[in-house]
Amino acid sequence: MTGGESPVLSSPDVDDLVADAAVVARAAADHSGVEVREIDDLGELDAVGALLTAIWDREAQGRTMTTSLLRALSITGHYVAGAFAGDRLVGAAVGFFAAPPAAVLHSHIAGADPTAAVRGVGYALKLHQRAWALRRGVSTVTWTFDPLVRRNAHFNITKLGARAVAYLPNYYGAMNDGRNAGEESDRLLLEWDLVASAVVAAGHGPAVAAARADAPCVLAIAPDGSPARAEWDGGPAVLFVPADIEQMRANAPGLARAWRLAVREALGDALAAGGAVVGFRQSEGYVIDRAGPRR
């Protein structure tokens, strides 16, 4: 998806890396109080489909992923996994796997049950996904997310150390679920370099280091809540996103639309001009800078 094949793991340290990934994935699951495992049982696959449908508020429109599709994916070597708190499914993730030489896992969908009193499920799922990929000789996982959802940006960039590689306007077209209805489906494409030093370190707990605090804003919030854009000079800069875009969509759809277009232009233009997302501030937004060498 990004113009080149992902590297296949071949160094003498691979066994140690794979073993370490399994250890940190298990530790994250234990810390969260869940068991994360692959799923191929028909009843559990049906539960995955039901959970993902509920998370994305699609009950009235039909399943996000049908049981038959999940069954087909699970028996053909793709990634279908769930997080269980006792007997209860509290999180799930599904990805499309391309074995070497393509060597990439694209994580299509992942979510945690917001009604379950369990924390850290998403993190445990992603670390399980990383260990799963590394065992199969794959060093890159890709996925997309809505760049306006601040909590997801923080999780993906700061907590996991994933790297934004492209801005994709209206990537999925119109979506009619409860989260995205009436919105264009802009997405940020991420690459998760599973062997990068920052990613390996993040698996052991510390988040990716925060970017410097004195960067100017190229997209700020005006007194009336609307976006206010400034020209980017190519140096470190902050690109603000609203604290809760989903609530804004419900209460002020016109304002939410203005933010969609402003982030599309500011972040999309920066990436297209050779910029890079180098960090994310949980209370503000993206930190961008000139693209440097890959980690």
Side-chain angles (χ1 to χ4, degrees):
M1 297 182 69
T2 56
E5 293 184 345
S6 301
V8 179
L9 298 178
S10 60
S11 78
D13 298 326
V14 167
D15 288 345
D16 289 342
L17 186 65
V18 171
D20 179 72
V23 168
V24 298
R26 193 175 306 112
D30 289 346
H31 182 74
S32 187
V34 298
E35 177 194 8
V36 182
R37 55 178 170 81
E38 290 183 72
I39 293 176
D40 58 12
D41 174 79
L42 194 60
E44 291 182 344
L45 291 169
D46 187 65
V48 168
L51 177 61
L52 294 175
T53 298
I55 291 171
W56 269 266
D57 192 14
R58 279 188 53 91
E59 287 88 345
Q61 293 80 28
R63 288 286 181 101
T64 300
M65 302 189 82
T66 63
T67 304
S68 58
L69 175 58
L70 290 166
R71 169 70 108 183
L73 290 170
S74 71
I75 66 172
T76 52
H78 297 279
Y79 182 81
V80 184
F84 293 84
D87 294 332
R88 180 181 178 183
L89 180 72
V90 295
V94 181
F96 302 107
F97 175 59
V104 67
L105 173 65
H106 181 72
S107 183
H108 175 62
I109 190 168
D113 186 349
T115 69
V118 183
R119 296 180 61 84
V121 174
Y123 186 60
L125 277 167
K126 294 306 289 187
L127 291 187
H128 179 273
Q129 194 175 75
R130 175 174 178 262
W132 187 96
L134 287 171
R135 284 198 306 273
R136 288 157 178 79
V138 171
S139 64
T140 301
V141 176
T142 62
W143 69 94
T144 66
F145 77 100
D146 186 341
L148 282 174
V149 180
R150 189 189 281 185
R151 67 180 183 278
N152 289 350
H154 170 72
F155 176 76
N156 292 328
I157 294 168
T158 305
K159 184 77 172 176
L160 297 177
R163 174 177 173 267
V165 294
Y167 192 97
L168 309 171
N170 201 25
Y171 186 58
Y172 293 111
M175 303 177 72
N176 62 352
D177 60 73
R179 289 189 173 191
N180 297 289
E183 270 282 314
E184 293 192 22
S185 56
D186 289 21
R187 294 293 182 265
L188 200 58
L189 175 64
L190 299 174
E191 281 187 358
W192 198 22
D193 182 350
L194 305 184
V195 301
S197 58
V199 173
V200 174
H204 289 272
V208 176
R212 53 186 259 195
D214 59 346
C217 282
V218 294
L219 187 62
I221 183 168
D224 64 355
S226 64
R229 186 177 176 187
E231 289 300 316
W232 180 48
D233 65 4
V238 174
L239 194 151
F240 186 90
V241 291
D244 191 342
I245 190 63
E246 291 162 319
Q247 192 66 36
M248 185 182 288
R249 287 172 189 157
N251 296 336
L255 184 58
R257 171 67 176 168
W259 275 102
R260 168 71 69 205
L261 296 177
V263 171
R264 177 188 294 177
E265 292 173 359
L267 187 53
D269 288 355
L271 293 176
V277 174
V278 298
F280 191 86
R281 296 186 193 163
Q282 193 171 10
S283 61
E284 293 177 280
Y286 298 93
V287 179
I288 59 175
D289 201 350
R290 289 186 179 87
R294 298 186 66 169
R295 294 173 297 172

